[in-house]
Each structure stands twice: as C-alpha cells, then as structure tokens.
C-alpha cells in the first residue's frame, strides 16, 4: 500500500484510528494504580467507584460550644417560665466537635445560658457551674451533627471515571480512605524533528526556527491527564528519526512525531512510521492541519499508536485537540472534556476550502444585545491567533464559508463571564490600544481589537458590531480628521468622538536608509518597492490624499497594490526585505529597529455610540485615559503626543 494518501474526511480518519485501536486492544483504560491521597492525586481519574468505609461524623458531635441536654426537659421553657438544669445530673459542658453523651439529644449554646442566681456568673470559661437556666425550648438534635450527617458508611462517595478535585480528597479521607485506585496516566512521547529547529532560549540565525510546539503539546497533554515526555530535537535524517521513534515507543503509550517545516519532513514521518508499522491515514481534510498522519507501530505483539503532527504551530495544537484529547480521555476511562458552547453572529464573511472541515479562530464579545464572533488571522503558523482566540467555529466541509451575520456555534476557550466584560474594538491599528488593553486587564475588563482599518471600524459601528472604533480618517476636502466621514457613514446616529493620541506618520525605512528615501516623491522611483496599507485604512487615505496633492500616480509606485493590515505588519515587511519603505507610525519603526522619516502629524480618535460611552462596561476605560501612569507610558512611545488624550472632540447626532 502506498503511504502517500490523499486527504480523507475527518470522521473517516477518526474511525480508521478507532478500528486500529480496537484491534490492538487499546480502546479502553490502559491500567489501574493505587495512589495515596495527597496533592498529587488532584486531576487523576478514579478507576472504580469509591464507597464510604465509615460515616462522617462517625459519632453524634456537638456543633456549638455549650451544654449537652435532654431536649424533652426544656419543653416548658419560655421567657417567663425558665427551666433550670443541674450540672452533671441534667447537663454537661461540650466544645464544638465533642462527642455528645449517650443520654443527650441536643446542645444549648453557651451564650443562651443564664446564671441561676445573682451570685453565679456563667462565662465562656465556666464549664462546671452548679446549674444553668434557659428560657427557650429546644427541638431534638438542635446544634448537633448527627452520625452520618455528611457521609453514611457504605454510601457512594465518588463514581468511577470521576476526575479528582481538591475537595474530593477531603471527602475520600473523611469516609475512611487513605488511598484510591485510579486509571494509569497515559505516557506520551513528543518527538520534534527538523534540521532547522533550535531549542527555545537559543539565539537564532536566518533559516532557523525556535522549537516550541513540544512545549504547547506537553502542556495540552498534561491538562488532559497524560504524562508527556519531551525529547530533544532530531534532525531530518531518516535513520535518526527512525531510531528515536523506536526508542520512544518502547516505554510510551503514544508517540507524537512533530515534523519540522523543511522540505520532505512530512515524507520522513510517513516513511519512518511505515518502516516500523503501518500508516493508517496520510492527510485529513481539516484546516488547519491537513497533513496529519495516523499510524500504528508494531513492536512484536505490542502495538503503539503514532500521530504525525504537522509542524505549523496552530495545526499542531488543533491536531491534538481533534485526535488526541478524546483518546486520552478514553484511556483514562472518563468522558472527554467538552468546551462550553454559545451562539454568536459572525462579524464578517469568511471563505473555506470546500472539501475541508475548517476550524476558524474567533474573538467573542457582547455588543448591546448581540453576541458577536470576529474571525482572527487564519495562518497555520500564527500561534498568536490561538493565544487571542476566545473560541473556535467549525465550518463543515462543503460549506465553502459563511456570510457575515451568520449565527454560529462557538466552542469556547474562555468562560462566558469573561466575554461579558469584553470591550470590542474594530478599526485602525494603534500600539496605544495594546497598552490600553494591558491597563484594562487590571480593571476587570478585556479589550479585544480587530484590525479592519478606520473605515472598517466606522462600518462596524454602523452595524452594531463594536463598542468603539479607532479612526484617523483625513477628509481631503476639509482637512478634518474623522468628523466628515462619521457624518457620511453614521448619519443620524448619536456618536461620541474622543481623542486617544496625536501621532507622527512617516516612512518606515531600513536602518541607515540605504536607498536614500526622504519624501513621497521617492516612492515613484523604479528602484523603490513600497508596502501599502489596506483599502479603508486611515494611513492609506492619508497617502492617497498627499499623492493627489503632489500629482503622483499610484500606478507609478511599485508595490502600491501590496497590502498589510497593521503598522507593525508594514515594519515587518521592511525589516524582512520585502519592501524598501512603507507609510506608518514611528513606534512601529522603533519596535523593529528601523529608521523613520517624519512626514505628518495626525489625530487618532475613538469613535463610539453614546449608549456605549455612558455604559458601565467602558467606564474604566475613561478613567485610565486620565491616569498619569498610562499617559506617561503612551508618551514614552516614539512619535506620540498625549496632550489631548481623553478630550471630547464632538457629540454628533441626537444625544
């Protein structure tokens, strides 16, 4: 059989793996071990039900500091008809937790006891008075913890398959257990391969890639209850990979072979698996992650499953969620952990490959009455898309995407409570927003921003899909920032405009300015490659305005049609040599140690509807804009002015 298979649907791939595991006797709990009840037991899964050996409490216990009594002897007690009980004969003192005398069926708290006569004073330390007087009747078993109040001997304490929590340890100990039988934790080997990989913390050279997939995968496995082993990096040498896989399989239940991104790495993985056993699947119709390999290693009579994990970090993480999380749960004899799921509305159209199940990363937040899901960057190598993601939307194969406004099911990475404290910002990118997000995090708020350009932000406000939009749109007719476009795009709506920062715009260029670029006229030179911002971005509008003023045809600029969505994206393009220059902010140039040619001053505003401006959700934001430490942090960024930060620029519409 050829090991180079075509992509197959996800359910078919999962079934092939399942059938192979069933045939190998690996479709159930791997084993049982007895462990002591200590902090290391938390997270382990019970391999059998646990029954109480003893009751808790195992004797009738006083629930108060006071006096044990026969409640029948208090039946006539009242405010005007007190009852006197003789010490020893009718009552004895008990502390909280003391056994109740066999003859007693209640406890009267010490603070409810009176002196018998003026010469007797009953205090907290008077434990043997001559007598006590009470003025209220007690019902049987008042202020008593009876036998088995918490746990009754022989009752079920915890069921099989239960994952132990800290409080469970107390219940187990209280019911007479010092140890429990739990499922053996699966041992999983993680083998990173690739000649281009270097360990985390090492200095990197061009062409080298920091290996961090194994860190992510090990943490995933540990959170699911497995015991991961991270192996050192293996170069792209067939025999070396083969030896490492064989070594790992000897004492692990599962091998994850994580291929690097160099040419031929995936073929090495499939070839190695085929040489040591059987390739079941080579290619699964899921995005990201389609080059997944599923196989079974043959070690004599023993079988060890192996997963060839793609090298791209998002693909690697999602591959484990799709194929490994459920398998670990089955080996532990428990149900797979199911993420919470909510319904939300997509903020923009997305397209998907027609034959693949597409795992779309989204950020989620409530704006007004709508729960919204904004798609994030979809590259398989963009690990930050998973860091920022609030959840996943699975677009089934055959759908070819979803329209804007479509209601979708979101598998959450965060709790719904966190989403209710989320401020949705869509619009122009600015580094000050990242700082603002940091300060808001300390005020029980989360700022989630999507970079859609200034005009995209105004349209999001129009559709009710954002709490606020960052904008720096220059009107070519009036020379004003933002206000003319607000009146055109948001006519009649009650809009508030607040200044966030003043900032410099200019040309981001390589260190030393090797092509001697100083003005916009230089962009039309044949030896200059430009990197542009996307249509609707304020920076793009600013550029076009000045090109018209100077009579420069955009078609004469090499790279004018090549777009990036952020200032940092422009800086990266220049730093990497993809472009010789790009219009952006000074802070982005400094971030990548590039030079900057100052050209313009501009105002960057926050645009929002009046209802959000006055909302409790955004109240901490306005407080932060007035704080000296935040203003100083922004002012320290190159090319930024905070002189007008927080100024109310305009109230537009019927407010």
């Amino acid at each position: 059989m050829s090991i180079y298979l075509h992509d197959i649907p996800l359910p078919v791939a999962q079934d092939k793996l399942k059938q192979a595991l069933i045939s190998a006797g690996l479709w159930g709990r791997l084993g049982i071990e007895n462990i002591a009840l200590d902090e290391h037991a938390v997270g382990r899964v019970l391999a059998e039900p646990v029954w109480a050996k003893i009751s808790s409490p195992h004797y009738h216990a006083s629930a108060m500091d006071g006096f044990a009594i026969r409640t029948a002897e208090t039946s006539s007690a009242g405010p005007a008809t007190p009852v006197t009980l003789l010490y020893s004969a009718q009552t004895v003192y008990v502390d909280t937790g003391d056994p109740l005398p066999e003859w007693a069926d209640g406890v009267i708290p010490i603070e409810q006891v009176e002196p018998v006569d003026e010469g007797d004073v009953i205090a907290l330390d008077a434990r043997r008075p001559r007598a006590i007087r009470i003025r209220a009747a007690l019902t049987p078993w008042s202020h008593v913890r009876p036998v088995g109040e918490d746990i009754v001997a022989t009752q079920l304490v915890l069921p099989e398959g239960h994952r132990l929590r800290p409080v469970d340890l107390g219940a187990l100990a209280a019911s007479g257990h010092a140890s429990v039988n739990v499922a053996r934790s699966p041992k999983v080997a993680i083998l990173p391969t690739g000649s281009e990989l270097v360990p985390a913390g090492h200095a990197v050279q061009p062409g080298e890639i920091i290996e961090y997939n194994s860190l992510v995968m090990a943490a995933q496995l540990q959170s699911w209850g497995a015991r991961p082993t991270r192996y050192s990096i293996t170069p792209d040498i067939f025999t070396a990979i083969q030896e490492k896989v064989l070594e790992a399989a000897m004492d692990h239940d599962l091998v994850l072979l994580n291929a690097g991104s160099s040419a031929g790495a995936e073929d090495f993985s499939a070839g190695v698996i085929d040489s040591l056993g059987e390739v079941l699947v080579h290619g699964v119709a899921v995005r990201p992650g389609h080059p997944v390999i599923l196989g079974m290693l043959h070690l004599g009579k023993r079988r060890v499953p192996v997963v060839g994990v793609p090298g791209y970090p998002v693909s690697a993480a999602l591959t484990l969620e799709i194929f490994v999380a459920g398998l670990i749960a089955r080996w532990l004899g428990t149900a797979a952990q199911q993420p919470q799921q909510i319904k939300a509305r997509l903020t923009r159209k997305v397209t998907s490959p027609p034959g693949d199940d597409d795992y779309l990363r989204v950020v989620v937040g409530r704006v007004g009455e709508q729960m919204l899901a904004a798609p994030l960057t979809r590259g398989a190598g963009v690990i930050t898309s998973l860091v920022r993601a609030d959840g996943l939307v699975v677009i089934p194969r055959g759908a070819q995407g979803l329209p804007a406004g479509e209601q979708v099911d979101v598998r959450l990475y965060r709790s719904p409570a966190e989403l209710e404290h989320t401020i949705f910002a869509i619009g122009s990118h600015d580094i000050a927003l990242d700082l603002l997000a940091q300060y808001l995090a300390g005020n029980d708020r989360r700022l989630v921003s999507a970079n859609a350009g200034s005009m995209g932000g105004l349209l999001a406000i129009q559709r009710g899909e954002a709490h606020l939009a960052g904008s720096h749109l220059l009107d070519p007719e009036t020379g004003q920032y933002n206000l003319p476009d607000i009146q055109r795009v948001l006519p009649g709506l009650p809009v508030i405009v607040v200044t966030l920062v003043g900032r410099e715009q200019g040309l981001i260029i390589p260190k030393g300015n090797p092509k001697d670029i100083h003005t916009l006229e230089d962009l039309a030179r044949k030896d200059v490659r430009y990197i542009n911002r996307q249509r609707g971005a304020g920076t793009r509008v600013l550029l076009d305005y000045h090109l018209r003023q100077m009579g420069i045809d955009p078609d004469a600029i090499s790279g004018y049609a090549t777009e990036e969505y952020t200032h940092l994206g422009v800086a990266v393009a220049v730093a990497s040599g993809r472009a010789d220059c790009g219009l952006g902010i000074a802070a982005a140039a400094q971030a990548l140690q590039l030079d900057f040619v100052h050209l313009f001053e501009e105002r960057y505003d926050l645009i929002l509807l009046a209802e959000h401006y006055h909302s409790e959700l955004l109240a901490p934001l306005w407080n932060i804009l007035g704080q000296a430490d935040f203003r100083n942090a922004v002012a320290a960024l190159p090319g930024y002015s905070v002189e007008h930060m927080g100024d109310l620029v305009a109230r537009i519409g019927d407010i």
Side-chain angles (χ1 to χ4, degrees):
M1 180 185 75
S2 170
I3 62 172
Y4 305 108
L5 307 180
H6 297 293
D7 288 354
I8 62 175
L10 176 59
V12 176
Q14 291 172 321
D15 188 64
K16 280 181 173 288
L17 179 60
K18 174 183 176 180
Q19 295 306 320
L21 291 166
I22 291 173
S23 297
L26 296 173
W27 194 243
R29 187 184 292 119
L30 295 179
I32 299 175
E33 56 188 4
N34 187 267
I35 63 169
L37 291 182
D38 57 22
E39 66 275 11
H40 301 295
V42 173
R44 301 299 296 273
V45 176
L46 291 176
E48 58 188 30
V50 180
W51 308 89
K53 292 182 178 180
I54 61 173
S55 297
S56 177
H58 61 277
Y59 60 88
H60 298 318
S62 173
M64 305 286 288
D65 293 346
F67 292 86
I69 59 172
R70 299 180 183 90
T71 56
E73 295 180 348
T74 72
S75 60
S76 62
T81 57
V83 170
T84 300
L85 302 176
L86 297 175
Y87 195 80
S88 296
Q90 293 176 289
T91 185
V92 294
Y93 179 84
V94 287
D95 284 319
T96 302
D98 281 352
L100 208 64
E102 291 185 4
W103 50 263
D105 66 350
V107 173
I108 183 167
I110 194 169
E111 59 268 20
Q112 296 178 15
V113 172
E114 296 180 0
V116 172
D117 55 53
E118 293 182 1
D120 290 323
V121 178
I122 297 177
L124 292 176
D125 59 351
R127 301 186 179 189
R128 294 181 61 86
R130 181 174 61 82
I132 62 172
R133 180 183 294 139
I134 60 176
R135 293 182 181 273
L138 268 71
T139 56
W141 305 106
S142 294
H143 307 302
V144 173
R145 294 192 64 213
V147 169
E149 178 191 57
D150 189 6
I151 300 169
V152 178
T154 74
Q155 84 172 66
L156 177 67
V157 182
L158 291 169
E160 177 183 349
H162 178 80
R163 194 179 295 272
L164 292 175
R165 304 164 300 170
V167 292
D168 297 329
L169 306 186
L172 291 169
S175 62
H177 294 274
S179 64
V180 287
N181 289 330
V182 298
R184 178 174 70 77
S185 296
K187 297 174 63 180
V188 183
I190 305 170
L191 277 60
T193 70
S195 299
E196 75 283 5
L197 300 180
V198 296
H202 282 55
V204 289
Q205 303 298 322
E208 295 180 335
I209 299 173
I210 296 172
E211 195 287 300
Y212 56 80
N213 280 352
S214 65
L215 282 170
V216 176
M217 292 191 289
Q220 286 179 295
L221 291 163
Q222 198 165 36
S223 72
W224 297 329
R227 293 166 54 195
T229 303
R230 292 172 57 218
Y231 281 71
S232 58
I233 299 166
T234 304
D236 285 326
I237 301 172
F238 185 91
T239 55
I241 298 173
Q242 187 182 52
E243 289 173 6
K244 192 64 69 74
V245 169
L246 189 58
E247 174 191 339
M250 290 298 180
D251 58 355
H252 288 84
D253 304 299
L254 172 66
V255 175
L256 302 179
L257 184 56
N258 187 209
S261 60
S262 62
E266 292 173 7
D267 294 343
F268 274 138
S269 298
V272 165
I273 294 169
D274 188 60
S275 72
L276 298 175
E278 177 186 5
V279 173
L280 304 169
V281 173
H282 189 189
V284 182
V286 292
R287 296 292 176 99
H290 71 92
V292 175
I293 304 170
L294 306 176
M296 191 70 73
L297 305 175
H298 297 178
L299 306 179
K301 294 184 178 180
R302 182 167 169 261
R303 298 291 182 265
V304 178
V306 57
V307 179
V309 181
Y312 280 122
V314 177
S315 299
L318 290 178
T319 293
L320 264 66
E321 287 188 25
I322 295 168
F323 290 101
V324 179
L327 178 57
I328 297 299
R330 178 161 288 277
W331 281 348
L332 290 171
T334 189
Q337 300 175 34
Q338 296 297 325
Q340 288 185 281
Q341 193 162 287
I342 64 167
K343 292 190 178 296
R345 193 165 63 82
L346 279 180
T347 60
R348 64 174 174 84
K349 175 184 176 182
V350 292
T351 58
S352 298
D356 294 345
D357 290 299
D358 190 7
Y359 285 72
L360 177 71
R361 285 86 75 195
V362 296
V363 291
V364 182
R366 182 181 298 281
V367 179
E369 298 302 315
Q370 300 184 94
M371 189 65 79
L372 300 171
L376 289 167
T377 304
R378 304 178 70 182
V382 186
I383 188 66
T384 53
S385 68
L386 279 180
V387 174
R388 294 179 58 203
D390 296 328
L392 293 174
V393 173
V394 181
I395 304 174
R397 63 187 183 280
Q400 300 188 45
L402 296 170
E406 180 82 358
Q407 190 174 68
V408 293
D409 291 318
V410 182
R411 301 178 185 179
L412 291 179
Y413 286 148
R414 301 182 188 274
S415 71
E418 287 183 272
L419 304 181
E420 297 294 340
H421 293 157
T422 297
I423 299 172
F424 239 46
I426 297 179
S428 173
H429 169 252
D430 189 82
I431 295 173
L433 287 177
D434 299 331
L435 274 176
L436 185 57
Q438 176 184 332
Y439 278 76
L440 282 167
N443 288 266
D444 194 30
R445 295 293 186 273
R446 202 169 60 99
L447 179 65
V448 169
S449 57
N451 304 317
S454 295
M455 185 56 69
L458 295 186
L459 293 172
I461 296 292
Q462 180 194 67
R463 295 191 299 266
E465 295 177 350
H467 295 107
L468 56 85
S471 179
H472 58 116
L473 287 167
L474 175 66
D475 180 56
E477 302 299 327
T478 65
Q480 283 188 305
Y481 275 98
N482 297 319
L483 301 184
D485 284 289
I486 291 172
Q487 291 167 338
R488 280 193 293 268
V489 178
L490 306 174
L493 291 178
V495 176
I496 302 288
V497 183
V498 177
T499 294
L500 180 61
V501 291
R503 62 185 192 179
E504 296 179 5
Q505 285 265 29
L507 291 172
I508 298 172
I509 54 177
K511 202 74 174 173
N513 195 5
K515 292 203 172 178
D516 199 30
I517 298 169
H518 297 284
T519 68
L520 293 184
E521 285 94 338
D522 291 323
L523 304 187
R525 286 167 32 193
K526 292 185 178 180
D527 65 329
V528 172
R529 295 167 300 155
Y530 183 73
I531 182 74
N532 210 349
R533 290 292 305 278
Q534 80 279 16
R535 290 181 181 274
T539 299
R540 174 79 162 255
V541 173
L542 179 67
L543 173 70
D544 290 346
Y545 170 75
H546 285 285
L547 291 180
R548 283 194 297 272
Q549 295 289 314
M550 301 167 71
I552 299 175
D553 184 356
D555 291 338
I557 299 174
S558 174
Y560 179 87
T562 307
E563 300 177 344
E564 282 290 342
Y565 278 77
T566 67
H567 294 284
L568 287 173
V570 170
V572 168
V574 174
S576 65
R578 287 173 48 214
D580 299 313
C581 66
L583 192 62
I585 58 175
Q590 186 193 60
L592 274 74
Q593 300 180 338
L594 299 169
D595 281 349
F596 181 77
V597 178
H598 169 71
L599 295 178
F600 315 112
E601 303 280 345
E602 67 174 5
R603 193 183 76 227
Y604 181 95
D605 294 332
L606 300 178
I607 318 297
L608 65 163
L609 297 181
E611 63 180 285
H612 300 314
Y613 178 75
H614 297 291
S615 69
E616 181 183 348
L617 179 68
L618 267 66
L621 189 154
W622 311 126
N623 291 334
I624 290 169
L625 295 190
Q627 292 175 5
D629 56 343
F630 176 70
R631 296 169 72 96
N632 291 338
V634 175
L637 297 171
Y640 275 79
S641 166
V642 297
E643 180 182 357
H644 296 290
M645 177 179 283
D647 286 0
L648 183 60
V649 175
R651 294 174 179 265
I652 302 173
D654 185 14
I655 297 178

